[in-house]
């Protein structure tokens, strides 16, 4: 009668293809006659598949992460370039348009015939008005040369001084659209804010894949990964806002609720709200080289916490309580002053019950 | 030090996944994207194909099926092209194709990470593994590389002896099997693979 451990080794050998031909044939004969062995073998095989699947999911997420890192870099560069171009074009437009209306209009000035030059004097200061552009946070004042509709031909002497507009910029806050229901994967655009004729954005169904990665407890290590933009017209820009409506980068995020504004080339927009970045206990492996003076650094305690380090025999090797504001660190030395190489497991317990654990390999 | 393409399978066995993926992303994806975009595809489709083939490559390395006589970039590029051709033949049969190959044999498995099912399965797997403990998780992850000996695992995890490593492996595997038994749908799916 084969014992349990030997049976386990046989099953593992069979599944991994490491049995000899003779062993394999004997095992298969036993397998065909023993339903219990069949079930154990199937279960063992399923658990191997589960481990592989888990690893493959990790790789799938890693590929998305690498893709996001590369494309976010390109987007940020593109955003910066686009922002610069818009700033230059905007400044040019403001300087060139001579109007005091709320809507900026370009006023054509026709050159008079050389035989009948007409010169229009500037408007007295008392009649000058400030121009204000609604919908933005800028306002500017300028002198205008008012050209009446009847004066279709008018010239301005080349050397006539023109005042430059003074543009005061204030902080621009994002305009939030109506909140929409967040979907777990693809997001369809059901309500858009469009700055161009409504029928164009009505046909633009902006979509994107949004993945959130939880951060570690007591750390800002959360991420929001956005990819696969579709609908509307490329290129797309995306801005991420925290709960205080401040623009933030999509990594090193603390746990919380975020919003994402997607804009396409036609300025059709989609705001996605309620994106949750959670926090979790990160299983992290650390290595300490005590010769180099490495320390296990677990951040600053945001509340009272206790750090326990266990050796492979599950005995407490190190224990310390940290108060709020203290650095949570361990230098690899036991509570009794011993210094050993080896593999340890740490447990960091916070006053509110949250727990973080991981492993530490100490060597010197 | 620059990573050579021949180093990539070893990087994968050592768990240096980020380096391997970044290297493949840099050297392989641009060529795949260029080919697919010039053959009626999009960048998004190229990314999907790239991901599929990388996952299949990982399975090969895990199951000791990677033939080291292949060049990594060349082999994976070929797999990407073949997968694209078969996808075009399947999804866009009316599209005029310059490619004459039909029904190319694909060594890589079909894309099984369906959008709807994968998130649920991933959540179940992560929950299941988190309940067996960190040490077991680490040990079992090493065992998926079938050419990694128990002696290597013993050293990596600092077990006192080979026997201790094997016993711990058995205990962890049994823990996992008990967890899988609680998920009959997942078990049925895994048995079918």
């Amino acid at each position: 009668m084969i014992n349990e451990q030997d049976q386990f080794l046989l099953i593992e050998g069979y599944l991994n293809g490491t049995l000899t031909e003779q062993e394999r044939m004997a095992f298969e004969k036993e397998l065909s006659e023993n339903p219990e062995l069949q079930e154990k073998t199937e279960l063992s095989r399923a658990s191997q598949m589960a481990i592989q699947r888990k690893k493959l999911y990790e790789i799938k997420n890693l590929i998305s992460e690498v893709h996001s890192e590369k494309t976010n870099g390109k987007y940020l560069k593109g955003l910066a370039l686009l922002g610069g171009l818009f700033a230059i074009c905007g400044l040019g437009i403001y300087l060139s348009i001579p109007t005091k209306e709320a809507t900026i209009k370009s006023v054509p000035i026709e050159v008079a015939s050389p035989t009948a030059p007409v010169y229009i004097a500037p408007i007295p200061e008392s009649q000058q008005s400030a121009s204000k552009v609604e919908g933005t946070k800028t306002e500017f004042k300028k002198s205008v040369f008012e050209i009446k509709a009847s004066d279709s031909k008018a010239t301005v002497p080349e050397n006539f001084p023109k005042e430059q507009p003074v543009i005061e910029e204030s902080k621009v806050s994002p305009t939030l659209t109506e909140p929409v229901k967040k979907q777990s994967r693809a997001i369809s655009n059901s309500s858009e804010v469009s700055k161009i004729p409504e029928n164009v954005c009505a046909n633009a169904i902006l979509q994107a894949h949004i993945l959130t990665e939880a951060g570690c407890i007591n750390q800002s290590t959360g991420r929001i990964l956005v990819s696969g933009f579709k609908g509307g017209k490329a290129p797309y820009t995306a801005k991420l806002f925290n709960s205080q409506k401040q623009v933030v980068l999509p990594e090193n995020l603390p746990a919380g609720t975020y919003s994402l504004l997607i804009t396409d080339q036609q300025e059709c927009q989609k705001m996605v709200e309620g994106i949750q970045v959670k926090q979790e206990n990160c299983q992290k492996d650390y290595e300490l080289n005590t010769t180099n003076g490495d320390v296990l650094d677990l951040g600053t305690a945001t509340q009272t916490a206790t750090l326990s380090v266990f050796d492979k025999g599950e005995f407490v090797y190190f224990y310390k309580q940290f108060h709020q504001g203290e650095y949570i660190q361990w230098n690899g030395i036991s509570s009794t002053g011993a210094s050993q190489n080896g593999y340890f497991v740490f447990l960091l317990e916070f006053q509110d019950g949250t727990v973080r654990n991981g492993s530490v390999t100490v060597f010197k | 030090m620059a990573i050579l393409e021949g180093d990539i399978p070893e990087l994968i066995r050592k768990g240096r996944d980020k380096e391997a993926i970044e290297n493949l992303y840099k050297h392989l994806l641009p060529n795949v994207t260029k080919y697919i975009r010039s053959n009626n595809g999009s960048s998004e489709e190229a990314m999907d194909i790239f991901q599929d083939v990388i996952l299949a490559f990982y399975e090969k390395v895990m199951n000791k099926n990677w033939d080291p006589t292949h060049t990594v970039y060349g082999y994976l590029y070929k797999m990407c092209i073949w997968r694209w051709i078969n996808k075009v033949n399947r999804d866009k049969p009316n599209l005029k194709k310059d490619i004459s190959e039909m029904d190319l044999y694909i060594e890589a498995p079909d894309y099984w990470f369906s959008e709807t099912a994968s998130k649920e399965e991933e959540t179940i797997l992560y929950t299941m593994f988190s309940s067996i403990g960190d040490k077991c998780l680490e040990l079992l992850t090493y065992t998926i590389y079938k050419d990694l000996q128990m002696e290597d695992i013993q050293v990596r995890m600092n077990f006192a002896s080979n026997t201790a490593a094997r016993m711990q492996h058995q205990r962890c595997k049994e823990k996992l099997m008990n967890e899988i038994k609680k998920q009959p749908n997942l078990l049925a799916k895994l048995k079918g693979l």
Side-chain angles (χ1 to χ4, degrees):
Chain A
M1 179 80 175
I2 193 169
N3 66 35
E4 207 173 293
Q5 192 180 359
D6 287 341
Q7 188 184 65
F8 175 82
L9 289 173
L10 264 179
I11 293 173
E12 288 294 299
Y14 176 68
L15 293 174
N16 294 337
T18 56
L19 297 181
T20 63
E21 184 62 24
Q22 198 176 359
E23 286 170 335
R24 186 186 61 77
M25 287 175 66
F27 183 83
E28 283 178 349
K29 184 175 182 300
E30 175 68 27
L31 199 60
S32 64
E33 295 163 357
N34 188 336
E36 195 186 323
L37 182 63
Q38 285 171 20
E39 194 191 333
K40 281 186 182 177
T41 306
E42 278 305 305
L43 197 51
S44 187
R45 182 178 167 276
S47 65
Q48 276 188 347
M49 295 304 299
I51 300 165
Q52 277 202 4
R53 295 280 280 207
K54 182 184 177 297
K55 180 69 182 182
L56 290 174
Y57 276 117
E58 285 173 12
I59 299 305
K60 180 173 172 265
N61 291 334
L62 181 58
I63 294 171
S64 296
E65 184 187 308
V66 168
H67 181 58
S68 268
E69 278 173 18
K70 305 297 180 191
T71 49
N72 279 347
K74 282 182 193 171
Y75 275 131
L76 286 172
K77 281 182 194 169
L79 270 173
L81 188 63
L82 213 58
L85 283 171
F86 276 132
I88 292 167
C89 291
L91 189 59
I93 289 168
Y94 291 143
L95 290 172
S96 65
I97 295 173
T99 178
K100 63 174 181 175
E101 298 295 331
T103 311
I104 298 173
K105 294 178 188 172
S106 59
V107 180
I109 301 174
E110 293 181 7
V111 177
S113 71
T115 57
V118 176
Y119 169 61
I120 297 176
I123 299 170
E125 198 172 313
S126 58
Q127 293 180 18
Q128 287 179 9
S129 59
S131 295
K132 198 167 188 179
V133 178
E134 287 181 5
T136 71
K137 299 283 183 180
T138 64
E139 62 179 47
F140 55 93
K141 294 181 182 180
K142 65 190 293 188
S143 299
V144 295
F145 298 105
E146 190 174 34
I147 297 167
K148 297 176 187 175
S150 58
D151 297 328
S152 57
K153 292 178 183 178
T155 53
V156 175
E158 284 179 5
N159 59 353
F160 197 88
K162 293 177 187 176
E163 281 189 31
Q164 296 297 320
V166 175
I167 300 172
E168 296 173 4
E169 289 186 359
S170 61
K171 195 173 179 181
V172 178
S173 298
T175 306
L176 302 181
T177 62
E178 292 175 15
V180 293
K181 286 183 185 174
K182 174 176 169 282
Q183 297 178 25
S184 59
R185 299 290 287 186
I187 295 125
S188 299
N189 192 4
S190 57
S191 64
E192 308 101 342
V193 171
S194 176
K195 297 178 187 176
I196 63 173
E198 195 176 323
N199 56 351
V200 176
C201 285
N203 296 329
I205 302 173
L206 297 182
Q207 293 181 339
H209 291 273
I210 298 180
L211 272 174
T212 59
E213 277 185 16
C216 301
I217 292 169
N218 204 44
Q219 289 183 323
S220 295
T221 50
R223 283 173 166 234
I224 292 175
L225 310 172
V226 187
S227 62
F229 292 95
K230 284 181 186 175
K233 202 171 179 185
Y236 306 90
T237 57
K239 267 190 190 172
L240 188 67
F241 303 98
N242 61 15
S243 51
Q244 285 84 44
K245 308 301 176 199
Q246 296 165 326
V247 177
V248 292
L249 288 175
E251 50 192 30
N252 297 327
L253 298 170
T257 306
Y258 296 83
S259 316
L260 184 76
L261 179 67
I262 304 169
T263 308
D264 78 347
Q265 195 214 47
Q266 297 172 114
E267 309 235 352
C268 298
Q269 290 185 322
K270 165 70 181 177
M271 175 63 88
V272 181
E273 294 190 3
I275 302 171
Q276 289 284 337
V277 171
K278 296 181 182 175
Q279 60 178 5
E280 63 182 14
N281 176 28
C282 295
Q283 297 163 357
K284 197 164 178 192
D285 299 324
Y286 294 86
E287 289 180 357
L288 297 190
N289 184 339
T290 53
T291 309
N292 291 344
D294 291 347
V295 293
L296 172 66
D297 189 347
L298 299 174
T300 306
T302 52
Q303 53 185 295
T304 302
T306 54
L307 174 65
S308 309
V309 179
F310 302 92
D311 63 15
K312 63 183 181 207
E314 297 182 0
F315 293 114
V316 176
Y317 186 76
F318 175 82
Y319 177 89
K320 187 178 174 185
Q321 190 178 64
F322 296 88
H323 300 289
Q324 188 178 0
E326 277 191 271
Y327 291 118
I328 305 173
Q329 291 181 338
W330 180 52
N331 59 3
I333 311 290
S334 75
S335 295
T336 57
S339 172
Q340 289 179 14
N341 288 345
Y343 180 89
F344 301 87
V345 172
F346 72 84
L347 190 69
L348 183 60
E349 297 170 283
F350 293 90
Q351 192 174 29
D352 66 356
T354 52
V355 170
R356 184 181 158 193
N357 60 9
S359 70
V360 185
T361 303
V362 176
F363 58 96
K364 56 183 176 184
Chain B
M1 192 172 142
I3 295 170
L4 303 174
E5 62 176 306
D7 297 335
I8 292 173
E10 195 54 35
L11 282 179
I12 290 171
R13 286 189 204 100
K14 285 181 180 174
R16 288 162 64 178
D17 299 306
K18 185 131 198 244
E19 290 174 68
I21 298 296
E22 281 180 342
N23 184 282
L24 291 169
Y25 187 98
K26 182 180 165 188
H27 288 101
L28 184 66
L29 183 61
N31 292 327
V32 170
T33 304
K34 188 177 170 186
Y35 176 86
I36 288 175
R37 286 185 67 167
S38 61
N39 284 283
N40 305 304
S42 65
S43 301
E44 288 84 13
E45 285 170 317
M47 188 63 203
D48 285 342
I49 298 278
F50 172 78
Q51 179 183 267
D52 282 0
V53 169
I54 296 302
L55 292 172
F57 176 56
Y58 256 81
E59 275 193 305
K60 276 191 171 293
V61 173
M62 282 185 220
N63 294 324
K64 279 199 301 186
N65 290 335
W66 169 249
D67 182 354
T69 60
H70 289 304
T71 59
V72 173
Y73 298 150
Y75 176 82
L76 295 180
Y77 179 65
K78 182 176 69 175
M79 288 298 109
C80 288
I81 290 172
W82 284 8
R83 182 172 286 281
W84 174 246
I85 291 168
N86 280 347
K87 183 177 163 55
V88 166
N89 288 343
R90 192 174 56 241
D91 296 347
K92 303 174 186 177
N94 299 325
L95 192 66
K96 184 180 175 186
K97 296 178 282 291
D98 294 329
I99 306 153
S100 58
E101 298 94 338
M102 297 290 290
D103 295 330
L104 293 173
Y105 171 67
I106 303 178
E107 293 177 37
D110 284 331
Y111 180 67
W112 40 265
F113 280 120
S114 70
E115 291 293 328
T116 49
S118 65
K119 199 64 187 171
E120 189 188 339
E121 184 186 288
E122 190 179 353
T123 307
I124 293 171
L125 281 170
Y126 272 95
T127 308
M128 208 168 66
F129 278 94
S130 64
S131 62
I132 65 171
D134 298 337
K135 278 191 177 179
C136 280
L137 176 62
E138 185 186 355
L139 194 157
L140 290 173
T141 305
Y142 285 136
T143 63
I144 60 174
Y145 297 106
K146 293 184 178 178
D147 52 358
L148 198 63
Q149 302 297 320
M150 194 54 69
E151 288 74 14
D152 298 316
I153 299 173
Q154 177 201 340
V155 167
R156 287 187 189 196
M157 294 195 64
N158 202 28
F159 282 106
S161 66
N162 195 289
T163 309
R166 287 184 195 281
M167 286 187 67
Q168 188 65 43
H169 175 221
Q170 182 177 349
R171 278 200 289 270
C172 291
K173 190 95 182 266
E174 283 168 356
K175 261 193 198 178
L176 179 61
M177 290 196 285
N178 286 334
E179 289 297 319
I180 291 177
K181 274 188 201 170
K182 298 176 190 172
Q183 305 284 347
N185 290 339
L186 178 66
L187 178 57
K189 192 172 181 181
L190 291 169
K191 279 183 177 178
L193 288 172

